[in-house]
Amino acid sequence: MKDWWNVGDGNLSDGWIRNEMKRTFEGASILVVEDDPDIRELLSTLLEMAGYTTTACATAEHGLNALREQTFDLILTDYALPNRTGGWLLQQAQREGLLDATPALVVTAHPNPSDVGGFDVFQKPFDLDDLVAHVRQRLDDSAPSRPRNDRNGRPPSVRPRADSGNPNNNSHDQGCPEPIELILYVSADSARSANAITNIKRVLSRYRSDKVTLTICDLARNPSMGDADSIAFTPTLVKRSPGPRTYILGHITNPDVLIELLEGCDLQS
């Protein structure tokens, strides 16, 4: 099959689909502050797979308490948190002497956040590869300023794949009277996005082109294309129809995840 997919913003060049060497990190400790549970677990899992240890918090207040209890090599926080912003968290931690030379990275879709002056800002939507590379660069640039707290007895956490933006979603619709519409959001310079395209195309080649369509949108060229689905990072796969909108976040390496997303319809040819 070759006609079930199209590109949402021009033609993607095959040149950017390339392999990159995986770098193993040294186990630096990162505080992740993010209120969305799916994104929080995805970011934590991604960083742990890269070799880091993570502590995850859902609010600025919990993040501040974590900083009071132990030291970290880097802080990664969302800006729009419940009650308080990520900027408030960093400013309060700075006033209490909890940051020292610890690098901090604020993730936000806000064009001009007012209270993050002096801190590194990473704009949404972003590519997961770019985020890891930026974290690596910040850690490489910052000299060790203090020893990390001992984490003995605390094994690395294992988190499930964040495969849906709606915890009550049921993708096993019966009957499936209409074609399945899939939207894949990527960044053209990302090996993680390239691998997602390859894996998805491999799975979809088993299905009839009149029953499932895939549109590929390159957010590196046009970030506003992700506004309709509130895309925060790439790669992200969205099943728009039929049934409730369903999300698969991050690098799609397991074909069973996509096959499960398409279950309930007799699509195989």
Side-chain angles (χ1 to χ4, degrees), residues 8-246:
D9 184 20
N11 294 321
L12 292 180
S13 170
D14 291 336
W16 66 271
I17 302 181
R18 64 185 185 275
N19 293 324
E20 293 185 358
M21 295 180 63
K22 178 180 178 181
R23 175 173 177 176
T24 302
F25 301 105
E26 299 177 351
S29 62
I30 298 178
L31 175 64
V32 178
V33 186
E34 166 62 59
D35 60 311
D36 185 294
D38 286 337
I39 297 178
R40 183 172 65 248
E41 294 191 356
L42 176 66
L43 292 176
S44 297
T45 300
L46 177 72
L47 293 169
E48 288 169 4
M49 290 176 63
Y52 294 111
T53 57
T54 66
T55 298
C57 298
T59 68
E61 293 86 350
H62 290 164
L64 184 61
N65 287 334
L67 287 169
R68 290 166 175 163
E69 294 174 358
Q70 67 180 96
T71 59
F72 295 92
D73 294 299
L74 184 137
I75 302 166
L76 175 63
T77 179
D78 190 32
Y79 178 74
L81 298 169
N83 301 321
R84 306 279 191 174
T85 67
W88 175 89
L89 162 63
L90 297 178
Q91 289 184 358
Q92 185 64 31
Q94 196 170 54
R95 283 192 288 268
E96 296 184 21
L98 303 176
L99 292 187
D100 292 343
T102 304
L105 183 59
V106 181
V107 177
T108 180
H110 197 289
N112 296 298
S114 60
D115 53 354
V116 294
F119 299 107
D120 198 358
V121 176
F122 205 73
Q123 287 289 336
K124 295 179 181 178
F126 58 84
D127 183 79
L128 295 176
D129 284 337
D130 291 342
L131 178 65
V132 172
H134 200 77
V135 166
R136 178 180 64 223
Q137 185 63 51
R138 290 305 311 273
L139 287 170
D140 287 346
D141 290 344
S142 62
S145 59
R146 53 187 175 178
R148 298 193 297 272
N149 285 5
D150 191 359
R151 290 173 178 263
N152 289 339
R154 186 172 184 178
S157 58
V158 178
R159 293 175 170 82
R161 179 184 297 271
D163 60 357
S164 175
N166 182 354
N168 298 318
N169 175 64
N170 179 7
S171 62
H172 306 288
D173 300 320
Q174 299 299 319
C176 193
E178 56 185 295
I180 289 180
E181 179 188 7
L182 301 176
I183 312 294
L184 177 62
Y185 294 96
V186 300
S187 294
D189 293 329
S190 166
R192 192 177 300 272
S193 289
N195 289 334
I197 290 177
T198 300
N199 294 336
I200 291 171
K201 285 184 178 180
R202 185 180 297 117
V203 172
L204 294 187
S205 65
R206 312 174 191 177
Y207 293 80
R208 292 170 47 187
S209 59
D210 62 335
K211 289 297 185 180
V212 58
T213 63
L214 173 66
T215 299
I216 301 174
C217 297
D218 181 8
L219 298 191
R221 296 182 180 182
N222 187 357
S224 65
M225 295 181 69
D227 292 348
D229 291 312
S230 301
I231 301 301
F233 50 78
T234 59
T236 295
L237 179 67
V238 180
K239 175 190 171 187
R240 282 189 177 175
S241 64
R245 191 164 302 196
T246 306

